[in-house]
Amino acid sequence: MRSPLVNVGEGIAGQVADRGTPLLVEDIATDERLSVNYRSNRRKTNSFIACPITTKERVIGVLNLSDKNTGEPFNPNDLDQA
């Protein structure tokens, strides 16, 4: 399945690409960083992570994770890539 392209700075993935830092949302319904437009939830859970994919020089994409297998919200430990 091919994902639609998103311009840098537009939408959640575009903002993550622009900033180069991951976004962890534990509850989309209450997260004040997101506008009401993003709160219409198409996910099974209210939690997601958007993480930039980088080379040494730049961001080349964004990985969006939703619906953790356990049904629990994502948490800061899920961002630990060590």
Side-chain angles (χ1 to χ4, degrees):
M1 177 163 130
R2 184 184 160 124
S3 298
L5 295 177
V6 175
N7 292 324
V8 172
E10 292 182 6
I12 294 170
Q15 290 174 24
V16 169
D18 186 42
R19 294 181 185 129
T21 57
L23 174 66
L24 166 65
V25 174
E26 294 185 54
D27 186 353
I28 197 169
T30 60
D31 195 302
E32 294 181 4
R33 297 172 293 180
L34 303 177
S35 73
V36 174
N37 296 338
Y38 295 117
R39 293 187 183 155
S40 62
N41 194 357
R42 292 176 284 179
R43 297 169 190 82
K44 292 178 185 174
T45 66
N46 283 337
S47 180
F48 69 88
I49 294 175
C51 190
I53 301 170
T54 60
T55 66
K56 290 181 181 177
E57 297 85 29
R58 63 190 180 108
V59 175
I60 60 171
V62 175
L63 176 66
N64 294 303
L65 305 171
S66 62
D67 298 333
K68 194 172 176 179
N69 285 344
T70 62
E72 298 172 20
F74 287 101
N75 62 63
N77 290 334
D78 295 316
L79 286 176
D80 184 11
Q81 299 177 25

